[in-house]
Amino acid sequence: MKSRYLPDTSRAHPVKRAWRAYYFETDLIAAPEVHFDGQASATGYFFLSFQVASQALSDARQKDKNAGATEVWSQAKIIVVPLAVALQLSLRKSQREAVNNGIKFNTYNDIVPAQEGVDDAKALDTSPNPGKWEQKGRVPLFYIPELRLSDGREPRYFNQQDLLKEWESQHPTAPPPKIQIVEMGDLFRTAVKSNHWDSLKNLAILPVAESNQVARQLVKEGSLPTYNFNKVFLVGSAQG
């Protein structure tokens, strides 16, 4: 799908890879679920970790059960979507129709990293506010400027461990240089505002091995649905 918010996926860019983000969808309506904030907007979530997505779905089901409400989460399931879709939606708000009441809402989307990456970022961040990595929608990417893959691209990782593993495989006797961190959304917003996609074309955003394996298995077990950009299923907030 072409988008004015992300480059054409037929071109080389760092999210053109066979890996995914996770989100919730119901069997009956084939629309992503978003959380109503009680005002005039709602937020959907994409998860980079299958474990985090599973826990979030379990928590939502338990909260709904404890509230004595109809189990709107009982038919929800975790599916996968290309990261390019998650990024496209996280960079802007969009008006979408709630299929369960026909009302249109402004919707926002956050990408949720694994806690491992958040903890790594807080430990490495030397700024006065390392706690900023706990904010919703902030996804840390870790890199060493001198590091290159065999194809010449510059890798970005979702945690420190994967980055150091690649460094050690290439430089087994050399200590790693200082690890740098960039926020994924900021990286793409800068490219959008400046219309300077060439700054990203040599980057490779590499998935966590465990999550990539699970995503491939989920795709293998069922057909990959088409993400519904126009409609959502509105639920009460399961946050907090």
Side-chain angles (χ1 to χ4, degrees), residues 33-45:
E33 290 165 332
V34 296
H35 304 278
F36 181 49
D37 65 4
Q39 299 178 19
S41 63
T43 303
Y45 298 92

Side-chain angles (χ1 to χ4, degrees), residues 42 79 125 128 155 167-169 187:
I79 68 169
D125 193 340
W167 174 266
E168 291 168 1
S169 71
L187 186 68

Side-chain angles (χ1 to χ4, degrees), residues 18-22 47-55 78 80 112-117 157-159 161-162 165 206-219:
W19 64 285
R20 318 287 177 175
Y22 305 93
F47 301 87
L48 296 178
S49 164
F50 180 77
Q51 290 183 342
V52 175
S54 297
Q55 186 60 54
I78 297 173
V80 293
V112 182
Q115 189 61 42
E116 177 186 13
Y157 296 88
F158 289 111
N159 60 53
Q161 179 181 353
D162 289 347
K165 183 178 180 180
L206 301 176
V208 177
E210 175 269 336
S211 292
N212 200 33
Q213 292 171 359
V214 173
R216 287 177 177 174
Q217 185 61 35
L218 288 176
V219 173

Side-chain angles (χ1 to χ4, degrees), residues 120-121 123-126 140-147 155-165 167-168 175-182:
D120 286 348
L124 291 170
D125 193 340
T126 58
L141 292 175
F142 303 85
Y143 68 101
I144 295 174
E146 298 88 343
L147 187 63
R156 301 292 185 267
Y157 296 88
F158 289 111
N159 60 53
Q160 179 181 206
Q161 179 181 353
D162 289 347
L163 170 58
L164 291 177
K165 183 178 180 180
W167 174 266
E168 291 168 1
K178 182 179 180 180
I179 295 175
Q180 306 293 321
I181 314 171
V182 64

Side-chain angles (χ1 to χ4, degrees), residues 27-222:
D27 288 321
L28 292 181
I29 57 178
E33 290 165 332
V34 296
H35 304 278
F36 181 49
D37 65 4
Q39 299 178 19
S41 63
T43 303
Y45 298 92
F46 295 97
F47 301 87
L48 296 178
S49 164
F50 180 77
Q51 290 183 342
V52 175
S54 297
Q55 186 60 54
L57 180 56
S58 177
D59 291 347
R61 284 172 171 165
Q62 188 60 47
K63 182 175 181 178
D64 187 61
K65 181 179 179 180
N66 292 341
T70 302
E71 292 193 24
V72 296
W73 293 101
S74 63
Q75 298 182 66
K77 61 181 179 181
I78 297 173
I79 68 169
V80 293
V81 66
L83 180 63
V85 170
L87 270 169
Q88 175 183 330
L89 291 171
S90 71
L91 293 176
R92 63 183 175 95
K93 72 175 181 180
S94 57
Q95 191 172 75
R96 300 156 82 181
E97 179 183 344
V99 297
N100 45 327
N101 62 17
I103 299 175
K104 290 187 176 181
F105 291 87
N106 287 328
T107 61
Y108 302 84
N109 291 270
D110 285 338
I111 299 177
V112 182
Q115 189 61 42
E116 177 186 13
V118 174
D119 292 342
D120 286 348
K122 290 170 61 180
L124 291 170
D125 193 340
T126 58
S127 74
N129 182 29
K132 65 178 178 288
W133 296 108
E134 293 282 2
Q135 297 173 7
K136 291 180 181 178
R138 295 190 68 85
V139 179
L141 292 175
F142 303 85
Y143 68 101
I144 295 174
E146 298 88 343
L147 187 63
R148 297 291 186 275
L149 300 177
S150 59
D151 59 7
R153 291 186 300 167
E154 305 169 27
R156 301 292 185 267
Y157 296 88
F158 289 111
N159 60 53
Q160 179 181 206
Q161 179 181 353
D162 289 347
L163 170 58
L164 291 177
K165 183 178 180 180
E166 179 62 30
W167 174 266
E168 291 168 1
S169 71
Q170 295 188 30
H171 308 277
T173 62
K178 182 179 180 180
I179 295 175
Q180 306 293 321
I181 314 171
V182 64
E183 202 283 308
M184 184 171 67
D186 289 345
L187 186 68
F188 282 86
R189 287 188 193 95
T190 299
V192 169
K193 291 179 180 179
S194 64
N195 196 29
H196 190 207
W197 293 104
D198 287 346
S199 64
L200 303 180
K201 69 179 182 180
N202 201 44
L203 298 187
I205 300 178
L206 301 176
V208 177
E210 175 269 336
S211 292
N212 200 33
Q213 292 171 359
V214 173
R216 287 177 177 174
Q217 185 61 35
L218 288 176
V219 173
K220 182 179 179 180
E221 291 175 354

